[in-house]
Amino acid sequence: MDLAEETRCVLRLYGAPQGRLAAAVALFAPQWRAEAQWKSRGAETLLAVHADTPTGLKKAAQSLRSSFGADVYGAGDTSLAAAAVQALEAHDRLLACGDAAAGALLESRLEKVPGAEKVYDFGTMSYADAKVGPQIEKRARAKLGGEGDKPDPVRLALARAQAARRVVGTELAVACAERESDHVLVLSTKKGCWLRTVPAADNPGLWLLDMVRRAAAGLPQAEGTGFLPAGQTKQSDPPGRSQSTAKDPTSKKKHPLRVLLAVLGILALAAFGAAWYLTDGDLAALPQRLKTLHLPEWVTLWQAHEPKPGARLI
């Protein structure tokens, strides 16, 4: 590797918010003597980084990777399809398709990637198989129940992805609901389903590959991708309509009661500590000690009603 190669590199991003690019480059330290240029096409961005020294290049590249995290899928000539296959192989994950629509989006991109057949069956053991395909469809239709011969396409894609994962026995399965102007992409996992609505002209095949890549590697999905937890697939609205409000399964639930109990516990400890301090450890002397402090009337009012020895509490 010559010096020019050591001081230049290209990072590949998918799903990164365009507004963050300039801010991320602005974080370069002056001593790195590095600069970056980028070009985006759809959701994919190529970041060309140049520095005067290999050390400066390394620090600049690390800074960008830190800024964009899971949005960085590779470097150099790595394709998104190759990155998805690498993630599936590295984490020992298998992928299946629940319908021909999703298969068409993936297969033309994966067929030329070395090793893709090890992690994806290209439909031969799932939707395109003469026996398995009807099993997936039967199970999906049964899950929809009484929605008739024309179920909501998003619900059907969701049911097909779930059925394919269970029937074929893979960790991940995908399906696609093709609508007039957009596609709803579905990725089924053990914990639930990821959903994303993509305009038909916005390369839904690449978006589906990116969803697979992130899920296989255990990375957060891109902004705008919704999550439907397992067991909540039956709801009044199709999942594709409410995906923007879906929560990431890794987010922690807040428990207001626990917070309240913790606050009350802290206040009780503080009160006990103050009483201990005022009485030098003799808590029985607390009422007399409060009298000597000449506290406001509202603080010592309770002492006027203090039970006397031998009194009976009614």
Side-chain angles (χ1 to χ4, degrees):
M1 182 180 289
D2 58 30
L3 184 60
E5 292 176 327
E6 291 178 354
T7 56
R8 296 177 183 271
C9 74
V10 175
L11 296 180
R12 293 177 172 266
L13 289 68
Y14 203 88
Q18 298 297 307
R20 288 171 46 195
L21 293 170
V25 173
L27 295 176
F28 288 179
Q31 60 268 28
W32 298 348
R33 291 179 301 194
E35 57 184 15
Q37 296 179 329
W38 59 89
K39 183 177 182 180
S40 298
R41 183 173 61 181
E44 187 170 22
T45 299
L46 300 186
L47 259 171
V49 187
H50 171 264
D52 290 349
T53 65
T55 300
L57 177 67
K58 182 179 179 180
K59 291 184 178 296
Q62 288 176 340
S63 176
L64 291 172
R65 288 182 180 275
S66 177
S67 295
F68 292 105
D71 296 336
V72 180
Y73 73 80
D77 296 329
T78 303
S79 67
L80 186 55
V85 170
Q86 289 171 7
L88 289 165
E89 282 189 299
H91 295 85
D92 196 24
R93 298 286 186 266
L94 297 178
L95 175 67
C97 255
D99 55 31
L105 292 176
L106 293 181
E107 287 158 18
S108 61
R109 295 173 171 84
L110 291 176
E111 61 185 2
K112 296 181 180 180
V113 179
E117 69 283 356
K118 298 178 182 178
V119 294
Y120 176 59
D121 70 338
F122 288 88
T124 58
M125 297 174 61
S126 53
Y127 75 93
D129 182 80
K131 293 183 178 180
V132 179
Q135 290 178 19
I136 293 174
E137 190 67 13
K138 181 179 179 180
R139 186 162 185 162
R141 296 279 177 169
K143 187 175 181 65
L144 294 177
E147 294 198 20
D149 296 332
K150 295 183 179 180
D152 180 87
V154 178
R155 291 187 187 279
L156 182 56
L158 182 65
R160 283 171 172 170
Q162 293 173 308
R165 187 177 61 82
R166 292 184 173 92
V167 172
V168 183
T170 58
E171 291 80 12
L172 304 173
V174 294
C176 174
E178 295 181 314
R179 302 191 293 196
E180 184 176 353
S181 60
D182 59 27
H183 293 60
V184 178
L185 309 175
V186 180
L187 172 62
S188 175
T189 70
K190 185 177 180 180
K191 293 183 178 181
C193 292
W194 292 101
L195 300 102
R196 185 176 188 93
T197 300
V198 180
D202 195 17
N203 220 326
L206 289 181
W207 271 112
L208 190 55
L209 282 172
D210 188 62
M211 291 170 67
V212 169
R213 171 186 71 87
R214 292 171 186 255
L219 299 171
Q221 292 289 334
E223 293 181 7
T225 303
F227 184 77
L228 194 62
Q232 296 185 19
T233 56
K234 292 184 178 180
Q235 53 184 25
S236 58
D237 294 324
R241 296 181 187 173
S242 58
Q243 63 173 323
S244 62
T245 60
K247 295 181 179 180
D248 192 304
T250 59
S251 62
K252 296 182 179 179
K253 296 181 179 179
K254 296 182 179 179
H255 300 277
L257 182 58
R258 292 182 183 178
V259 175
L260 178 60
L261 290 175
V263 172
L264 291 176
I266 293 173
L267 292 175
L269 288 174
F272 179 80
W276 187 274
Y277 175 78
L278 290 173
T279 62
D280 292 328
D282 185 8
L283 296 180
L286 181 59
Q288 186 62 34
R289 178 59 176 156
L290 290 176
K291 292 178 181 178
T292 63
L293 293 177
H294 303 292
L295 295 176
E297 182 180 357
W298 65 268
V299 177
T300 56
L301 181 62
W302 64 274
Q303 296 177 14
H305 304 281
E306 183 182 2
K308 301 299 186 291
R312 185 174 59 171
L313 192 63
I314 299 178

mmCIF file with all atom_site columns, all heavy atoms in Angstrom, residues 97-100 103 107 120-134 136 168:
data_model
loop_
_atom_site.group_PDB
_atom_site.id
_atom_site.type_symbol
_atom_site.label_atom_id
_atom_site.label_alt_id
_atom_site.label_comp_id
_atom_site.label_asym_id
_atom_site.label_entity_id
_atom_site.label_seq_id
_atom_site.pdbx_PDB_ins_code
_atom_site.Cartn_x
_atom_site.Cartn_y
_atom_site.Cartn_z
_atom_site.occupancy
_atom_site.B_iso_or_equiv
_atom_site.pdbx_formal_charge
_atom_site.auth_seq_id
_atom_site.auth_comp_id
_atom_site.auth_asym_id
_atom_site.auth_atom_id
_atom_site.pdbx_PDB_model_num
ATOM 1   N N   . CYS A 1 97  ? -37.522 -15.783 2.829  1.00 0.00 ? 97  CYS A N   1
ATOM 2   C CA  . CYS A 1 97  ? -38.490 -14.847 2.263  1.00 0.00 ? 97  CYS A CA  1
ATOM 3   C C   . CYS A 1 97  ? -39.894 -15.413 2.409  1.00 0.00 ? 97  CYS A C   1
ATOM 4   O O   . CYS A 1 97  ? -40.118 -16.608 2.198  1.00 0.00 ? 97  CYS A O   1
ATOM 5   C CB  . CYS A 1 97  ? -38.204 -14.609 0.781  1.00 0.00 ? 97  CYS A CB  1
ATOM 6   S SG  . CYS A 1 97  ? -37.437 -13.017 0.454  1.00 0.00 ? 97  CYS A SG  1
ATOM 7   N N   . GLY A 1 98  ? -40.841 -14.540 2.719  1.00 0.00 ? 98  GLY A N   1
ATOM 8   C CA  . GLY A 1 98  ? -42.217 -14.974 2.866  1.00 0.00 ? 98  GLY A CA  1
ATOM 9   C C   . GLY A 1 98  ? -43.065 -14.771 1.629  1.00 0.00 ? 98  GLY A C   1
ATOM 10  O O   . GLY A 1 98  ? -44.190 -15.283 1.563  1.00 0.00 ? 98  GLY A O   1
ATOM 11  N N   . ASP A 1 99  ? -42.569 -14.027 0.644  1.00 0.00 ? 99  ASP A N   1
ATOM 12  C CA  . ASP A 1 99  ? -43.339 -13.820 -0.586 1.00 0.00 ? 99  ASP A CA  1
ATOM 13  C C   . ASP A 1 99  ? -42.409 -13.468 -1.737 1.00 0.00 ? 99  ASP A C   1
ATOM 14  O O   . ASP A 1 99  ? -41.231 -13.140 -1.551 1.00 0.00 ? 99  ASP A O   1
ATOM 15  C CB  . ASP A 1 99  ? -44.407 -12.738 -0.393 1.00 0.00 ? 99  ASP A CB  1
ATOM 16  C CG  . ASP A 1 99  ? -43.845 -11.417 0.105  1.00 0.00 ? 99  ASP A CG  1
ATOM 17  O OD1 . ASP A 1 99  ? -42.691 -11.090 -0.227 1.00 0.00 ? 99  ASP A OD1 1
ATOM 18  O OD2 . ASP A 1 99  ? -44.567 -10.697 0.827  1.00 0.00 ? 99  ASP A OD2 1
ATOM 19  N N   . ALA A 1 100 ? -42.964 -13.537 -2.935 1.00 0.00 ? 100 ALA A N   1
ATOM 20  C CA  . ALA A 1 100 ? -42.173 -13.288 -4.144 1.00 0.00 ? 100 ALA A CA  1
ATOM 21  C C   . ALA A 1 100 ? -41.772 -11.826 -4.267 1.00 0.00 ? 100 ALA A C   1
ATOM 22  O O   . ALA A 1 100 ? -40.738 -11.513 -4.868 1.00 0.00 ? 100 ALA A O   1
ATOM 23  C CB  . ALA A 1 100 ? -42.972 -13.710 -5.372 1.00 0.00 ? 100 ALA A CB  1
ATOM 24  N N   . GLY A 1 103 ? -38.657 -11.447 -2.391 1.00 0.00 ? 103 GLY A N   1
ATOM 25  C CA  . GLY A 1 103 ? -37.629 -12.214 -3.097 1.00 0.00 ? 103 GLY A CA  1
ATOM 26  C C   . GLY A 1 103 ? -37.093 -11.471 -4.302 1.00 0.00 ? 103 GLY A C   1
ATOM 27  O O   . GLY A 1 103 ? -35.883 -11.456 -4.558 1.00 0.00 ? 103 GLY A O   1
ATOM 28  N N   . GLU A 1 107 ? -33.074 -10.913 -4.489 1.00 0.00 ? 107 GLU A N   1
ATOM 29  C CA  . GLU A 1 107 ? -32.309 -11.921 -5.222 1.00 0.00 ? 107 GLU A CA  1
ATOM 30  C C   . GLU A 1 107 ? -31.443 -11.360 -6.339 1.00 0.00 ? 107 GLU A C   1
ATOM 31  O O   . GLU A 1 107 ? -30.325 -11.833 -6.573 1.00 0.00 ? 107 GLU A O   1
ATOM 32  C CB  . GLU A 1 107 ? -33.268 -12.996 -5.730 1.00 0.00 ? 107 GLU A CB  1
ATOM 33  C CG  . GLU A 1 107 ? -33.751 -13.875 -4.584 1.00 0.00 ? 107 GLU A CG  1
ATOM 34  C CD  . GLU A 1 107 ? -35.051 -14.595 -4.863 1.00 0.00 ? 107 GLU A CD  1
ATOM 35  O OE1 . GLU A 1 107 ? -35.432 -14.692 -6.059 1.00 0.00 ? 107 GLU A OE1 1
ATOM 36  O OE2 . GLU A 1 107 ? -35.687 -15.067 -3.899 1.00 0.00 ? 107 GLU A OE2 1
ATOM 37  N N   . TYR A 1 120 ? -28.843 -17.431 2.602  1.00 0.00 ? 120 TYR A N   1
ATOM 38  C CA  . TYR A 1 120 ? -30.152 -17.152 2.017  1.00 0.00 ? 120 TYR A CA  1
ATOM 39  C C   . TYR A 1 120 ? -30.475 -18.232 0.993  1.00 0.00 ? 120 TYR A C   1
ATOM 40  O O   . TYR A 1 120 ? -29.628 -18.592 0.172  1.00 0.00 ? 120 TYR A O   1
ATOM 41  C CB  . TYR A 1 120 ? -30.161 -15.768 1.368  1.00 0.00 ? 120 TYR A CB  1
ATOM 42  C CG  . TYR A 1 120 ? -31.452 -15.440 0.649  1.00 0.00 ? 120 TYR A CG  1
ATOM 43  C CD1 . TYR A 1 120 ? -32.664 -15.439 1.345  1.00 0.00 ? 120 TYR A CD1 1
ATOM 44  C CD2 . TYR A 1 120 ? -31.463 -15.139 -0.704 1.00 0.00 ? 120 TYR A CD2 1
ATOM 45  C CE1 . TYR A 1 120 ? -33.848 -15.148 0.692  1.00 0.00 ? 120 TYR A CE1 1
ATOM 46  C CE2 . TYR A 1 120 ? -32.647 -14.831 -1.360 1.00 0.00 ? 120 TYR A CE2 1
ATOM 47  C CZ  . TYR A 1 120 ? -33.835 -14.852 -0.661 1.00 0.00 ? 120 TYR A CZ  1
ATOM 48  O OH  . TYR A 1 120 ? -35.017 -14.571 -1.305 1.00 0.00 ? 120 TYR A OH  1
ATOM 49  N N   . ASP A 1 121 ? -31.698 -18.747 1.029  1.00 0.00 ? 121 ASP A N   1
ATOM 50  C CA  . ASP A 1 121 ? -32.064 -19.890 0.182  1.00 0.00 ? 121 ASP A CA  1
ATOM 51  C C   . ASP A 1 121 ? -32.551 -19.506 -1.208 1.00 0.00 ? 121 ASP A C   1
ATOM 52  O O   . ASP A 1 121 ? -32.870 -20.379 -2.015 1.00 0.00 ? 121 ASP A O   1
ATOM 53  C CB  . ASP A 1 121 ? -33.128 -20.729 0.878  1.00 0.00 ? 121 ASP A CB  1
ATOM 54  C CG  . ASP A 1 121 ? -34.473 -20.012 0.954  1.00 0.00 ? 121 ASP A CG  1
ATOM 55  O OD1 . ASP A 1 121 ? -34.483 -18.762 0.859  1.00 0.00 ? 121 ASP A OD1 1
ATOM 56  O OD2 . ASP A 1 121 ? -35.494 -20.696 1.107  1.00 0.00 ? 121 ASP A OD2 1
ATOM 57  N N   . PHE A 1 122 ? -32.644 -18.191 -1.502 1.00 0.00 ? 122 PHE A N   1
ATOM 58  C CA  . PHE A 1 122 ? -33.143 -17.702 -2.789 1.00 0.00 ? 122 PHE A CA  1
ATOM 59  C C   . PHE A 1 122 ? -34.523 -18.271 -3.110 1.00 0.00 ? 122 PHE A C   1
ATOM 60  O O   . PHE A 1 122 ? -34.871 -18.510 -4.259 1.00 0.00 ? 122 PHE A O   1
ATOM 61  C CB  . PHE A 1 122 ? -32.150 -18.023 -3.911 1.00 0.00 ? 122 PHE A CB  1
ATOM 62  C CG  . PHE A 1 122 ? -30.910 -17.176 -3.857 1.00 0.00 ? 122 PHE A CG  1
ATOM 63  C CD1 . PHE A 1 122 ? -29.822 -17.571 -3.091 1.00 0.00 ? 122 PHE A CD1 1
ATOM 64  C CD2 . PHE A 1 122 ? -30.828 -15.978 -4.546 1.00 0.00 ? 122 PHE A CD2 1
ATOM 65  C CE1 . PHE A 1 122 ? -28.681 -16.797 -3.021 1.00 0.00 ? 122 PHE A CE1 1
ATOM 66  C CE2 . PHE A 1 122 ? -29.684 -15.190 -4.482 1.00 0.00 ? 122 PHE A CE2 1
ATOM 67  C CZ  . PHE A 1 122 ? -28.608 -15.601 -3.719 1.00 0.00 ? 122 PHE A CZ  1
ATOM 68  N N   . GLY A 1 123 ? -35.306 -18.524 -2.070 1.00 0.00 ? 123 GLY A N   1
ATOM 69  C CA  . GLY A 1 123 ? -36.681 -18.981 -2.244 1.00 0.00 ? 123 GLY A CA  1
ATOM 70  C C   . GLY A 1 123 ? -36.856 -20.469 -2.421 1.00 0.00 ? 123 GLY A C   1
ATOM 71  O O   . GLY A 1 123 ? -37.980 -20.971 -2.378 1.00 0.00 ? 123 GLY A O   1
ATOM 72  N N   . THR A 1 124 ? -35.782 -21.197 -2.605 1.00 0.00 ? 124 THR A N   1
ATOM 73  C CA  . THR A 1 124 ? -35.901 -22.628 -2.902 1.00 0.00 ? 124 THR A CA  1
ATOM 74  C C   . THR A 1 124 ? -36.407 -23.445 -1.723 1.00 0.00 ? 124 THR A C   1
ATOM 75  O O   . THR A 1 124 ? -36.903 -24.563 -1.903 1.00 0.00 ? 124 THR A O   1
ATOM 76  C CB  . THR A 1 124 ? -34.545 -23.194 -3.348 1.00 0.00 ? 124 THR A CB  1
ATOM 77  O OG1 . THR A 1 124 ? -33.569 -22.970 -2.306 1.00 0.00 ? 124 THR A OG1 1
ATOM 78  C CG2 . THR A 1 124 ? -34.065 -22.508 -4.619 1.00 0.00 ? 124 THR A CG2 1
ATOM 79  N N   . MET A 1 125 ? -36.276 -22.908 -0.505 1.00 0.00 ? 125 MET A N   1
ATOM 80  C CA  . MET A 1 125 ? -36.758 -23.610 0.682  1.00 0.00 ? 125 MET A CA  1
ATOM 81  C C   . MET A 1 125 ? -37.857 -22.821 1.398  1.00 0.00 ? 125 MET A C   1
ATOM 82  O O   . MET A 1 125 ? -38.231 -23.144 2.515  1.00 0.00 ? 125 MET A O   1
ATOM 83  C CB  . MET A 1 125 ? -35.596 -23.865 1.660  1.00 0.00 ? 125 MET A CB  1
ATOM 84  C CG  . MET A 1 125 ? -34.510 -24.768 1.096  1.00 0.00 ? 125 MET A CG  1
ATOM 85  S SD  . MET A 1 125 ? -33.080 -24.910 2.205  1.00 0.00 ? 125 MET A SD  1
ATOM 86  C CE  . MET A 1 125 ? -33.846 -25.639 3.653  1.00 0.00 ? 125 MET A CE  1
ATOM 87  N N   . SER A 1 126 ? -38.364 -21.802 0.726  1.00 0.00 ? 126 SER A N   1
ATOM 88  C CA  . SER A 1 126 ? -39.397 -20.973 1.363  1.00 0.00 ? 126 SER A CA  1
ATOM 89  C C   . SER A 1 126 ? -40.536 -20.699 0.386  1.00 0.00 ? 126 SER A C   1
ATOM 90  O O   . SER A 1 126 ? -41.221 -21.636 -0.029 1.00 0.00 ? 126 SER A O   1
ATOM 91  C CB  . SER A 1 126 ? -38.770 -19.676 1.889  1.00 0.00 ? 126 SER A CB  1
ATOM 92  O OG  . SER A 1 126 ? -38.044 -19.006 0.881  1.00 0.00 ? 126 SER A OG  1
ATOM 93  N N   . TYR A 1 127 ? -40.736 -19.444 -0.006 1.00 0.00 ? 127 TYR A N   1
ATOM 94  C CA  . TYR A 1 127 ? -41.925 -19.089 -0.771 1.00 0.00 ? 127 TYR A CA  1
ATOM 95  C C   . TYR A 1 127 ? -42.006 -19.766 -2.133 1.00 0.00 ? 127 TYR A C   1
ATOM 96  O O   . TYR A 1 127 ? -43.101 -20.020 -2.655 1.00 0.00 ? 127 TYR A O   1
ATOM 97  C CB  . TYR A 1 127 ? -42.006 -17.566 -0.937 1.00 0.00 ? 127 TYR A CB  1
ATOM 98  C CG  . TYR A 1 127 ? -41.039 -17.010 -1.953 1.00 0.00 ? 127 TYR A CG  1
ATOM 99  C CD1 . TYR A 1 127 ? -41.401 -16.823 -3.278 1.00 0.00 ? 127 TYR A CD1 1
ATOM 100 C CD2 . TYR A 1 127 ? -39.728 -16.665 -1.577 1.00 0.00 ? 127 TYR A CD2 1
ATOM 101 C CE1 . TYR A 1 127 ? -40.506 -16.318 -4.208 1.00 0.00 ? 127 TYR A CE1 1
ATOM 102 C CE2 . TYR A 1 127 ? -38.843 -16.165 -2.491 1.00 0.00 ? 127 TYR A CE2 1
ATOM 103 C CZ  . TYR A 1 127 ? -39.230 -15.997 -3.810 1.00 0.00 ? 127 TYR A CZ  1
ATOM 104 O OH  . TYR A 1 127 ? -38.335 -15.508 -4.733 1.00 0.00 ? 127 TYR A OH  1
ATOM 105 N N   . ALA A 1 128 ? -40.869 -20.071 -2.774 1.00 0.00 ? 128 ALA A N   1
ATOM 106 C CA  . ALA A 1 128 ? -40.869 -20.655 -4.115 1.00 0.00 ? 128 ALA A CA  1
ATOM 107 C C   . ALA A 1 128 ? -40.926 -22.176 -4.114 1.00 0.00 ? 128 ALA A C   1
ATOM 108 O O   . ALA A 1 128 ? -41.056 -22.793 -5.179 1.00 0.00 ? 128 ALA A O   1
ATOM 109 C CB  . ALA A 1 128 ? -39.626 -20.191 -4.885 1.00 0.00 ? 128 ALA A CB  1
ATOM 110 N N   . ASP A 1 129 ? -40.828 -22.792 -2.954 1.00 0.00 ? 129 ASP A N   1
ATOM 111 C CA  . ASP A 1 129 ? -40.868 -24.256 -2.875 1.00 0.00 ? 129 ASP A CA  1
ATOM 112 C C   . ASP A 1 129 ? -42.320 -24.738 -3.013 1.00 0.00 ? 129 ASP A C   1
ATOM 113 O O   . ASP A 1 129 ? -43.237 -24.158 -2.442 1.00 0.00 ? 129 ASP A O   1
ATOM 114 C CB  . ASP A 1 129 ? -40.283 -24.722 -1.548 1.00 0.00 ? 129 ASP A CB  1
ATOM 115 C CG  . ASP A 1 129 ? -40.253 -26.231 -1.422 1.00 0.00 ? 129 ASP A CG  1
ATOM 116 O OD1 . ASP A 1 129 ? -39.324 -26.851 -1.988 1.00 0.00 ? 129 ASP A OD1 1
ATOM 117 O OD2 . ASP A 1 129 ? -41.161 -26.782 -0.768 1.00 0.00 ? 129 ASP A OD2 1
ATOM 118 N N   . ALA A 1 130 ? -42.500 -25.830 -3.749 1.00 0.00 ? 130 ALA A N   1
ATOM 119 C CA  . ALA A 1 130 ? -43.850 -26.323 -4.035 1.00 0.00 ? 130 ALA A CA  1
ATOM 120 C C   . ALA A 1 130 ? -44.602 -26.755 -2.784 1.00 0.00 ? 130 ALA A C   1
ATOM 121 O O   . ALA A 1 130 ? -45.836 -26.699 -2.743 1.00 0.00 ? 130 ALA A O   1
ATOM 122 C CB  . ALA A 1 130 ? -43.772 -27.489 -5.022 1.00 0.00 ? 130 ALA A CB  1
ATOM 123 N N   . LYS A 1 131 ? -43.902 -27.188 -1.759 1.00 0.00 ? 131 LYS A N   1
ATOM 124 C CA  . LYS A 1 131 ? -44.551 -27.622 -0.523 1.00 0.00 ? 131 LYS A CA  1
ATOM 125 C C   . LYS A 1 131 ? -44.505 -26.547 0.565  1.00 0.00 ? 131 LYS A C   1
ATOM 126 O O   . LYS A 1 131 ? -45.503 -26.305 1.243  1.00 0.00 ? 131 LYS A O   1
ATOM 127 C CB  . LYS A 1 131 ? -43.895 -28.910 -0.018 1.00 0.00 ? 131 LYS A CB  1
ATOM 128 C CG  . LYS A 1 131 ? -44.111 -30.120 -0.914 1.00 0.00 ? 131 LYS A CG  1
ATOM 129 C CD  . LYS A 1 131 ? -43.486 -31.369 -0.291 1.00 0.00 ? 131 LYS A CD  1
ATOM 130 C CE  . LYS A 1 131 ? -43.736 -32.593 -1.158 1.00 0.00 ? 131 LYS A CE  1
ATOM 131 N NZ  . LYS A 1 131 ? -43.135 -33.827 -0.585 1.00 0.00 ? 131 LYS A NZ  1
ATOM 132 N N   . VAL A 1 132 ? -43.351 -25.942 0.726  1.00 0.00 ? 132 VAL A N   1
ATOM 133 C CA  . VAL A 1 132 ? -43.187 -24.966 1.803  1.00 0.00 ? 132 VAL A CA  1
ATOM 134 C C   . VAL A 1 132 ? -43.955 -23.682 1.515  1.00 0.00 ? 132 VAL A C   1
ATOM 135 O O   . VAL A 1 132 ? -44.556 -23.088 2.426  1.00 0.00 ? 132 VAL A O   1
ATOM 136 C CB  . VAL A 1 132 ? -41.692 -24.662 2.037  1.00 0.00 ? 132 VAL A CB  1
ATOM 137 C CG1 . VAL A 1 132 ? -41.522 -23.635 3.149  1.00 0.00 ? 132 VAL A CG1 1
ATOM 138 C CG2 . VAL A 1 132 ? -40.950 -25.937 2.389  1.00 0.00 ? 132 VAL A CG2 1
ATOM 139 N N   . GLY A 1 133 ? -43.959 -23.250 0.266  1.00 0.00 ? 133 GLY A N   1
ATOM 140 C CA  . GLY A 1 133 ? -44.665 -22.018 -0.092 1.00 0.00 ? 133 GLY A CA  1
ATOM 141 C C   . GLY A 1 133 ? -46.130 -22.026 0.333  1.00 0.00 ? 133 GLY A C   1
ATOM 142 O O   . GLY A 1 133 ? -46.591 -21.096 1.005  1.00 0.00 ? 133 GLY A O   1
ATOM 143 N N   . PRO A 1 134 ? -46.897 -23.065 -0.043 1.00 0.00 ? 134 PRO A N   1
ATOM 144 C CA  . PRO A 1 134 ? -48.301 -23.129 0.399  1.00 0.00 ? 134 PRO A CA  1
ATOM 145 C C   . PRO A 1 134 ? -48.454 -23.207 1.918  1.00 0.00 ? 134 PRO A C   1
ATOM 146 O O   . PRO A 1 134 ? -49.432 -22.690 2.465  1.00 0.00 ? 134 PRO A O   1
ATOM 147 C CB  . PRO A 1 134 ? -48.804 -24.411 -0.277 1.00 0.00 ? 134 PRO A CB  1
ATOM 148 C CG  . PRO A 1 134 ? -47.947 -24.560 -1.495 1.00 0.00 ? 134 PRO A CG  1
ATOM 149 C CD  . PRO A 1 134 ? -46.597 -24.080 -1.067 1.00 0.00 ? 134 PRO A CD  1
ATOM 150 N N   . ILE A 1 136 ? -46.507 -21.723 4.123  1.00 0.00 ? 136 ILE A N   1
ATOM 151 C CA  . ILE A 1 136 ? -46.336 -20.343 4.598  1.00 0.00 ? 136 ILE A CA  1
ATOM 152 C C   . ILE A 1 136 ? -47.610 -19.543 4.374  1.00 0.00 ? 136 ILE A C   1
ATOM 153 O O   . ILE A 1 136 ? -48.090 -18.829 5.261  1.00 0.00 ? 136 ILE A O   1
ATOM 154 C CB  . ILE A 1 136 ? -45.141 -19.675 3.882  1.00 0.00 ? 136 ILE A CB  1
ATOM 155 C CG1 . ILE A 1 136 ? -43.827 -20.354 4.290  1.00 0.00 ? 136 ILE A CG1 1
ATOM 156 C CG2 . ILE A 1 136 ? -45.100 -18.176 4.193  1.00 0.00 ? 136 ILE A CG2 1
ATOM 157 C CD1 . ILE A 1 136 ? -42.614 -19.863 3.519  1.00 0.00 ? 136 ILE A CD1 1
ATOM 158 N N   . VAL A 1 168 ? -39.809 -22.209 7.997  1.00 0.00 ? 168 VAL A N   1
ATOM 159 C CA  . VAL A 1 168 ? -38.470 -22.538 7.489  1.00 0.00 ? 168 VAL A CA  1
ATOM 160 C C   . VAL A 1 168 ? -37.485 -22.748 8.633  1.00 0.00 ? 168 VAL A C   1
ATOM 161 O O   . VAL A 1 168 ? -36.536 -23.510 8.518  1.00 0.00 ? 168 VAL A O   1
ATOM 162 C CB  . VAL A 1 168 ? -37.969 -21.435 6.527  1.00 0.00 ? 168 VAL A CB  1
ATOM 163 C CG1 . VAL A 1 168 ? -36.607 -21.797 5.943  1.00 0.00 ? 168 VAL A CG1 1
ATOM 164 C CG2 . VAL A 1 168 ? -38.984 -21.229 5.400  1.00 0.00 ? 168 VAL A CG2 1
#
